[in-house]
Amino acid sequence: MDEMKFTIDGLQIKAEKGETILKAALRNGIYIPHLCYHPDLKPMGACRLCLVENEDGRLVTSCETQVEDGMKISTNTQQVEKSREMVARLLIANHEVECLTCAQNNQCQLQEIASFFGIELDDIKELRHSLLEVPADESNPFFVRDLKKCVLCGICVRTCRDRLGVSAIDFGFRGYETRITTLMDKPILESSCVSCGECVVACPVGALVPKENLKPNREVKTTCTYCAVGCGLYLGVRGEKIVSARGDREHPLSQGNLCVKGRYGFNFVNHPDRLTKPLIKKDGQFVEVEWDEALEFAAQKLSNYKGDSFAAISSARCTNEDNYALQKFTRLAMGTNNVDNSARSCHAPSVAGLAASLGSGAMSNSLDEVPNSKCLFFIGTNPTDSYPVLSMRIMDAVRNGAKIIIADPRNIDMTRYADITIQHNPGTDVALIMGMIRVIIDEELMDREFIQGRCENFDTLLESLEKFDLETVEEITGVKPDKIAEAARLYATTEPAAIFYSLGITEHSHGTDNVFALSNLALVTGNFGKPYSGVNPIRGQNNVQGSCDMGCLPDSYPGYQKVENPDVQKKFEKVWNSKLSPKMGLKMPEMMEAARKGQVKAMYIMGENPVLSEPDCSNICLALESTDFLIVQDLFMTETAIKADLVLPGASFAEKNGTFANADRRVQRVRQAIKPVGDSKPDWQIVSEIAQEMGITGFDYESSEEVAAEIASLAPIYGGMYYSCLEEDSKQWPCYHEEHEGTPFLYEDQFSTENGKAKFIPLTYRPPAELPDEEYPLVLTTGRRIFHYHTSTMTGATQGLKKLYDHDPVEISPEDAGKLGLVDGDWVWVISRRGKIKSPVEITERSPEGLVFMAFHSRETKTNMITSPACDPVTKTPEFKYCAVRIEKCVD
C-alpha cells in the first residue's frame, strides 16, 4: 500500500508509505512543535517537542514514528501539552531572548514555539540559569557561531556529518556544559569546515547566522555560475546590488544545497574593480573610451586579419548565447574555423574519445541518478573539492547502500566512504582499467549478449588485453593484483554500475586513451542505455559543456555538426547567407604556436585567462605578445587582459539572460537580476555589435532569446531548447523539438555511431611524456581546491574566500618532507624544466611519497608557469596531471 489514511485529533489525513507522523502532519498543514527535525536528515528525536499521544495513551516522537494505516494520534491532550510545554520552557530559559537584535528574528523556530505555547519571560524566571559563558566564534568570514543561542538540536552536526561527510563539528563536553564544538574546541576557521553554510541555513535558531544579513527586496531564480553541477539558486537583489544567494529546493539535483562559492562567492558582481568601460591601449597605457570608438577600432583592426590569421577563444563561463555568437562571428565575419574553448585544456579527450567509441562525447547519464545508484566508480576526480554539491549526493548514495570504488593517486577525502580504494601510480590509468577488464573477461563476468548485439571490435580488444596480465599491471600501477580483481568483480557484479571521472583522466598525454579504456570497461559489462549506469565525465566549469555544444570547436558547428561535412557546410552557408571555410581550424595550443610564429596575427579572447590557466604560461605570454591585435573581453583586468590592445567589459551571469548546459547535458535558464554594471554589456551583444560595425549581416539580434531561437533552429540536439520550453524546468539534450521532454540517459536503443553500435578500442600503455629523474625526482600533479574557481578572477573578488584560501600551497607527503627537512608552512621553490615558483608547504597524508600536488588558483603562485606543455596527440589537451619537479627550501 503506497498511501495510507490515519487520524490526527479527529481529522483524517493521508500519508505516504514510510512517512512519519510529523512529516505527514506538516504536509497537511497541521503544526506540531519541533526543533531537531529537518526534512533532509534522518530523525533523531532529541528535542522531545514533537511528542504526540497514540491510541494506547503512550507518548511517541512524531518525527521518528512512521504512520500506520488507521492509526489515531492526538497532539493536544493534557499529557502531551504538559510534557511539550515543560521542554519548551527549559529551552527558552537557557536561551538568549534579545530577539530584535537577532538575525533570526521572525524566522526562529524557538520563537515560534514560545508563541505557540504563549510563554512569557515571567513564566520562566524560576527556571532561568546564567547563560553558558562561551564567546561568539566570529573566525569564519561568512558566519557567526553563538552557542549562547544554541538549543543542541544537532541539526548542524548531522548536516555536516551526514550530508557533507565533513564532520567538522560534534557534541562535546557533558551535562550542563554540553555544546557543539570542533576538534580540540578550536575556532571553526581552524577546523575541517568547508564554509558551505549548509549548517547556517539549517539552524532553526540564531546560533548560526550569516555575517552579512541584508534582506533582499526581490529574488531572481537562476543557475549558479561556478562548477558544472549547475545548482539552482535565487539571487537576492536590493536596489541594483546582489546581496544574497540561496539554494533552490525544487532543483532536481542541488535540492537547495550550495557550496561556499555558490552561497558566498557573488561579491564579484558588484565589485569596484569591475571593468565598466571599453579600454584602448594608447602608447602603452589603457585609456577609457566610449563604445562607439571601441567598436569602430575593433572593426577597423579586425578587417585586416580575416581568414586563418585570426583566432578566437570562447568561454566556458559565458552563456550558450555568448559562445554561439563568438563562433558564428569567427566563421562568418572572419572566415575561419580557428575557434576553441577551455574544454581543450580539460575535457577535449572526453569529447573525442566518447564520440569515437559511442558516438557522443557527453555524459551518458544524469547526476540526479547518483543518490539511488547501486555502484559508483570514481576515477581521476575529487568531487569534494571540485563539485561539492555532487559530493552531497554521493553521501546520499552511501547512506542508501551504494557500493563505492575510488581510484586516485592521492588519498582524497571521499575514500573514507569507499568500499574499495585504489591508489595507483599517476599516469597509469590505462593499465589499471585494462587490467580490470582482463579480470572481468577471464572470470566470465562480461555481458556477452550486450557485447554481441550492440558492440563491435571485441576481438581486437581481446588481443590488446594480452599485454595486461595482472603481474604486468601491478608493475606499472603499483597496485596489488588482488585489489584490481576485487574492484573489477564489484563493478561487474553490481548491476547497474556507473563510472564518473574528471580531469585526472583527461589531462594526460594519453588522455583520449584513458577515456577509451573507461568506455571499454562500461561496454564489456553492458553498463549503457539504462539509468544508474554509463560513462560520465564531470565537467569543471559551469558551461564547458555548452561552449562545446555551441560549436566553439575547430572541427564542429553547433550541435557537433562537422565542418568538413559538405552537407553541414551547405546548411550553415544557407542560413548564414555566406561562404564558409571547409577546413578544420586550429586547436588552442596550435593557435598559440601559430601566434608565436606570426601566422595568427589577431586574437579575440572572451572570458578566459590563458596567461594563468594554460601550461608553460611563459610561452602563452610570448604568443599573445606576438600578435598584432588582441581583444580581451572580461569582467576584470585579468593577467590576459593586461596584454590586450582592446579590453571590452562583459556582463556577469547576474546581468544577462541566457542558458548554461551543465555536466549532464541539462540546459538551464540564466536570468538577469540587475542591470549591467557601468557600461558593460552581455558578451553576445558586444560580439554582434562588432560584426555589425564590420558590415556583416545576421547579427541584428534584439535579445538573447533570439540567439537561443537560432541555436534551436540549427542544432538538432537543441531543437526544443527555446526559452518558452525552459521557463518551468530544464531539459537534457538531445531535445529535438518543443514537445520533446529531453533525454535523461543516452543509448537506450542504439549508440550514436553511424551503424548504431559501440566500438571497443584496443589500447597499449604509454607512460607520461615527462618522467622524473635524478635532477627532478618528484611528480607534480595539479587540481582544484574547494574555495576557488579557475584562476580566481571571480572568487578572488570575495575577501572571505581569500581569507579561507589564498596562496596555492604545495602538498607533500611526510616522507618527502622529512627527506627535504621541511615543516608545515616552510616556503619552497618548486622547480621544473620550465621555471620555478615559490609556495608554502603543506605536509599531508593525502599525497603519497613521490607525488606533490598544487592547485592553479592563485595569481601570486602562478602554478602553470612550471606545468608541462606535453599534449595528448589526438586532442592537444595538455598534461597538467604529470610533470617532473624538484623542491628546494627557500633561503632568505
Side-chain angles (χ1 to χ4, degrees), residues 205-265:
V205 291
L208 288 162
V209 293
K211 284 184 173 179
E212 294 184 13
N213 203 35
L214 280 177
K215 304 297 182 187
N217 53 27
R218 61 188 177 90
E219 289 186 317
V220 177
K221 183 178 180 178
T222 189
T223 303
C224 183
T225 191
Y226 288 112
C227 81
V229 172
C231 297
L233 55 77
Y234 285 89
L235 289 178
V237 180
R238 191 162 172 167
E240 285 298 319
K241 187 175 181 181
I242 305 299
V243 297
S244 66
R246 68 175 178 89
D248 177 7
R249 287 194 64 85
E250 302 302 315
H251 192 273
L253 175 66
S254 56
Q255 300 171 12
N257 300 129
L258 294 174
C259 73
V260 60
K261 298 185 290 292
R263 193 180 309 282
Y264 300 119

Side-chain angles (χ1 to χ4, degrees), residues 110-402:
L110 190 61
Q111 191 179 45
E112 184 179 19
I113 288 165
S115 175
F116 179 79
F117 289 113
I119 297 172
E120 303 288 346
L121 281 178
D122 289 342
D123 300 330
I124 56 173
K125 282 182 179 178
E126 69 278 8
L127 299 173
R128 196 162 178 80
H129 298 280
S130 58
L131 294 176
L132 195 64
E133 288 301 323
V134 181
D137 181 356
E138 299 190 11
S139 61
N140 189 279
F142 299 120
F143 59 84
V144 177
R145 296 173 69 237
D146 188 351
L147 298 183
K148 294 191 295 294
K149 298 178 181 178
C150 178
V151 292
L152 297 175
C153 65
I155 288 176
C156 58
V157 173
R158 288 178 288 149
T159 296
C160 192
R161 180 190 65 210
D162 300 341
R163 297 290 281 172
L164 283 91
V166 174
S167 297
I169 50 178
D170 205 341
F171 288 94
F173 304 93
R174 290 183 175 184
Y176 184 70
E177 298 293 324
T178 301
R179 59 181 181 265
I180 308 299
T181 185
T182 62
L183 182 66
M184 306 296 291
D185 201 29
K186 292 183 177 181
I188 193 73
L189 189 66
E190 298 177 33
S191 74
S192 58
C193 172
V194 294
S195 301
C196 62
E198 287 295 322
C199 61
V200 179
V201 173
C203 181
V205 291
L208 288 162
V209 293
K211 284 184 173 179
E212 294 184 13
N213 203 35
L214 280 177
K215 304 297 182 187
N217 53 27
R218 61 188 177 90
E219 289 186 317
V220 177
K221 183 178 180 178
T222 189
T223 303
C224 183
T225 191
Y226 288 112
C227 81
V229 172
C231 297
L233 55 77
Y234 285 89
L235 289 178
V237 180
R238 191 162 172 167
E240 285 298 319
K241 187 175 181 181
I242 305 299
V243 297
S244 66
R246 68 175 178 89
D248 177 7
R249 287 194 64 85
E250 302 302 315
H251 192 273
L253 175 66
S254 56
Q255 300 171 12
N257 300 129
L258 294 174
C259 73
V260 60
K261 298 185 290 292
R263 193 180 309 282
Y264 300 119
F266 54 80
N267 287 356
F268 72 91
V269 175
N270 295 106
H271 197 275
D273 290 344
R274 277 283 302 275
L275 293 169
T276 58
K277 293 186 83 66
L279 300 167
I280 294 177
K281 189 175 284 180
K282 298 179 179 179
D283 299 324
Q285 301 293 320
F286 285 112
V287 178
E288 286 189 355
V289 298
E290 299 302 322
W291 272 108
D292 287 349
E293 183 177 348
L295 295 172
E296 183 181 357
F297 180 62
Q300 183 184 36
K301 284 286 189 178
L302 290 176
S303 296
N304 298 321
Y305 301 106
K306 290 193 175 184
D308 291 338
S309 63
F310 173 83
I313 299 173
S314 79
S315 177
R317 292 179 283 173
C318 290
T319 65
N320 285 330
E321 294 76 7
D322 298 330
N323 282 288
Y324 176 84
L326 186 59
Q327 65 82 33
K328 180 179 178 180
F329 175 85
T330 303
R331 293 182 161 113
L332 178 56
M334 301 305 294
T336 180
N337 288 309
N338 290 346
V339 60
D340 209 351
N341 74 90
S342 65
R344 186 63 52 200
S345 302
C346 54
H347 270 290
S350 296
V351 177
L354 296 180
S357 59
L358 310 174
S360 174
M363 184 179 279
S364 63
N365 286 61
S366 298
L367 292 174
D368 58 8
E369 296 173 1
V370 168
N372 297 308
S373 295
K374 304 300 181 186
C375 179
L376 297 168
F377 178 20
F378 297 97
I379 181 168
T381 184
N382 183 5
T384 306
D385 272 338
S386 301
Y387 323 101
V389 173
L390 176 58
S391 74
M392 296 184 204
R393 300 294 81 83
I394 298 168
M395 289 302 300
D396 293 340
V398 169
R399 285 193 301 278
N400 290 334

Side-chain angles (χ1 to χ4, degrees), residues 32 77 107 214 248 267 271 273 279 340 439 462 487 490 495 515 533 542 600 633 662 674 694:
I32 296 176
T77 66
Q107 300 175 67
L214 280 177
D248 177 7
N267 287 356
H271 197 275
D273 290 344
L279 300 167
D340 209 351
V439 171
L462 288 177
L490 182 60
E495 187 181 352
V515 174
S533 68
N542 57 302
V600 166
Q633 194 165 297
N662 80 337
I674 60 173
M694 293 174 69

Side-chain angles (χ1 to χ4, degrees), residues 769-832:
E770 181 181 274
L771 297 173
D773 55 22
E774 288 187 7
E775 187 177 1
Y776 301 97
L778 299 171
V779 173
L780 168 67
T781 190
T782 65
R784 295 183 172 92
R785 297 293 292 264
I786 192 170
F787 300 111
H788 282 282
Y789 175 72
H790 205 47
T791 60
S792 298
T793 304
M794 299 188 300
T795 51
T798 297
Q799 284 305 309
L801 292 173
K802 294 281 282 183
K803 181 178 180 180
L804 292 171
Y805 183 92
D806 193 0
H807 282 81
D808 289 319
V810 53
E811 294 187 6
I812 188 170
S813 71
E815 295 84 359
D816 288 326
K819 293 175 189 175
L820 295 167
L822 300 174
V823 298
D824 246 353
D826 278 350
W827 282 82
V828 297
W829 291 107
V830 186
I831 307 165
S832 79

